[in-house]
Amino acid sequence: ETGVTQTPRHLVMGMTNKKSLKCEQHLGHNAMYWYKQSAKKPLELMFVYNFKEQTENNSVPSRFSPECPNSSHLFLHLHTLQPEDSALYLCASSQLVAGTRTDTQYFGPGTRLTVL
Amino acid sequence: GESVGLHLPTLSVQEGDNSIINCAYSNSASDYFIWYKQESGKGPQFIIDIRSNMDKRQGQRVTVLLNKTVKHLSLQIAATQPGDSAVYFCAENGNGRGAQKLVFGQGTRLTINP
């Protein structure tokens, strides 16, 4: 186990539903990330949070809404998704250290999302 | 633009043989590179990393080689075992500013034949 947990592991939702993905890291890290992993496509960075503040939004549609209430928890709120949003959503965390460029990201197991 | 790509999408090797997985990158500003392993049903798992001031780094049964001249990265796995079967991703830090905006390759699926 990497110390990053995600729930649920599997989610099926209709296009009109509202659901949330949850991520929790037990590593004491100060940065958290959401990634999207689609079949046959590279891992895509969606959002970055440093010290609970969003520092990166990689042109993600507004139907994905992240929330970071504290440095250990990260949510991804989903609403009015499209079938093409079906993918594996991965959460990661890392420890930012000033002056370094090598903070390793540790990933959770992901949530397999299917949008009908 | 930034891109990280893998030469081969699949690789099959005999158990006990050495495996070499290759990766090409295009951003000369990248100064940090990572290899991740992703097994079925799991998230990517960190294997080994290397900074641009090095050309080789060794871990347990793994070696990463970096050739900055041709922008090429490789992962060598010694004496491959069934547990090494997975998809392997290389990643670079693209703009050379920290490791938060990683750019991932498409991945190579490594299959170990008994």
Side-chain angles (χ1 to χ4, degrees):
Chain A
E1 297 300 324
T2 63
V4 181
T5 58
Q6 291 186 243
T7 54
R9 293 294 309 275
H10 300 272
L11 178 62
V12 179
M13 59 186 290
M15 289 190 286
T16 59
N17 291 158
K18 291 184 179 180
K19 297 287 184 183
S20 296
L21 310 184
K22 179 183 177 182
C23 175
E24 183 174 359
Q25 58 95 0
H26 311 273
L27 301 169
H29 288 166
N30 53 25
M32 297 188 76
Y33 311 76
W34 279 118
Y35 285 87
K36 176 183 179 181
Q37 187 175 37
S38 305
K40 300 181 181 180
K41 290 180 68 175
L43 219 61
E44 300 173 81
L45 178 66
M46 299 175 71
F47 301 103
V48 180
Y49 276 82
N50 293 333
F51 301 97
K52 303 185 298 177
E53 298 298 320
Q54 186 181 126
T55 57
E56 185 72 27
N57 178 336
N58 200 22
S59 303
V60 181
S62 60
R63 56 185 184 270
F64 295 91
S65 175
E67 178 189 1
C68 189
N70 54 62
S71 57
S72 298
H73 294 85
L74 185 65
F75 295 89
L76 188 63
H77 304 299
L78 316 171
H79 63 97
T80 59
L81 295 192
Q82 304 298 312
E84 58 265 29
D85 295 324
S86 298
L88 181 69
Y89 288 85
L90 290 158
C91 173
S93 72
S94 70
Q95 180 65 19
L96 292 182
V97 178
T100 72
R101 298 179 176 180
T102 59
D103 47 303
T104 303
Q105 294 183 29
Y106 294 88
F107 286 83
T111 295
R112 174 68 63 185
L113 174 67
T114 303
V115 181
L116 302 177
Chain B
E2 299 175 342
S3 68
V4 177
L6 294 168
H7 292 307
L8 296 173
T10 61
L11 177 65
S12 293
V13 299
Q14 292 296 123
E15 183 178 349
D17 287 352
N18 297 334
S19 302
I20 300 176
I21 301 171
N22 295 303
C23 183
Y25 66 95
S26 62
N27 194 329
S28 58
S30 295
D31 62 3
Y32 178 58
F33 305 87
I34 312 170
W35 280 101
Y36 281 93
K37 170 187 179 182
Q38 187 173 22
E39 297 174 88
S40 180
K42 297 184 179 180
Q45 176 188 357
F46 172 84
I47 303 175
I48 192 168
D49 58 3
I50 188 168
R51 302 183 190 188
S52 59
N53 62 352
M54 305 171 68
D55 53 20
K56 180 179 180 180
R57 192 170 186 214
Q58 289 184 293
Q60 187 177 11
R61 279 202 309 118
V62 295
T63 301
V64 55
L65 298 178
L66 176 63
N67 185 329
K68 295 180 289 293
T69 302
V70 295
K71 299 190 184 71
H72 185 267
L73 190 69
S74 69
L75 177 70
Q76 300 179 1
I77 305 173
T80 47
Q81 304 167 358
D84 294 328
S85 292
V87 177
Y88 290 81
F89 296 93
C90 63
E92 59 172 320
N93 69 342
N95 57 15
R97 295 197 300 268
Q100 291 206 293
K101 292 187 67 175
L102 294 177
V103 177
F104 284 81
Q106 195 166 3
T108 292
R109 181 173 299 280
L110 177 64
T111 302
I112 311 302
N113 300 317

